Structures are given as C-alpha cells and as structure tokens.
Amino acid sequence: MAESPKTQPITPPPLEEIARANPGWFDEAVTAADAAQVTGVPPATLATWRSRGGGPKFLKLGRVVRYRRRALYEWMAARERRHTGDAGTQ
C-alpha cells in the first residue's frame, strides 16, 4: 500500500499584501456570516453583541447588517494581549 503524500498547510498572504493588491479591500462591507468567519465568533454571538452593545462596529442598511473588514481587524487588534493578566486598553 502506497503512502499518501503529506499535505502542506496553506499560508495566506499577509494582510498588507492583500490590501496592496486589492485597494479598498479593507473597506468592503461583508455579511455577518463572513464577519463570523473572520473573527471566529459565531453569528449568534455577533447578533447578541449588536443588540446589547459591544463587538465590532457594524453597518445597518435597512434590515441588512454588514461589517467593514477594517472594523473587524481593528476590533480584533484592540483585543490582543501578551498574557492572561494583561487588561489591555479595552
């Protein structure tokens, strides 16, 4: 029986490279499902945060909710910590 080849993990390009190759990419508005994928937070949690306050900034266009990619990445960056005791700025 032949061994299957080992798969190599896919490494996405750095965000700076994506932004340089796709001007305006950070400012595009994405769906709540897309925002959930970017942040790793379930869509239901994003919905709860929208109704109670908190979470990333969002756009409300009639009944449609969208998130700018820039707001998602800024929100995540503001929550970076060096250790569990690090209170951060927010």
Side-chain angles (χ1 to χ4, degrees), residues 1-53:
M1 182 184 280
E3 279 189 43
S4 62
K6 292 187 178 184
T7 58
Q8 297 295 320
I10 297 173
T11 304
L15 290 176
E16 295 81 16
E17 187 178 317
I18 292 171
R20 199 171 28 258
N22 302 284
W25 182 82
F26 274 120
D27 294 313
E28 286 181 6
V30 298
T31 66
D34 292 335
Q37 280 191 310
V38 168
T39 60
V41 175
T45 301
L46 291 172
T48 299
W49 287 342
R50 285 193 307 270
S51 67
R52 295 182 182 170

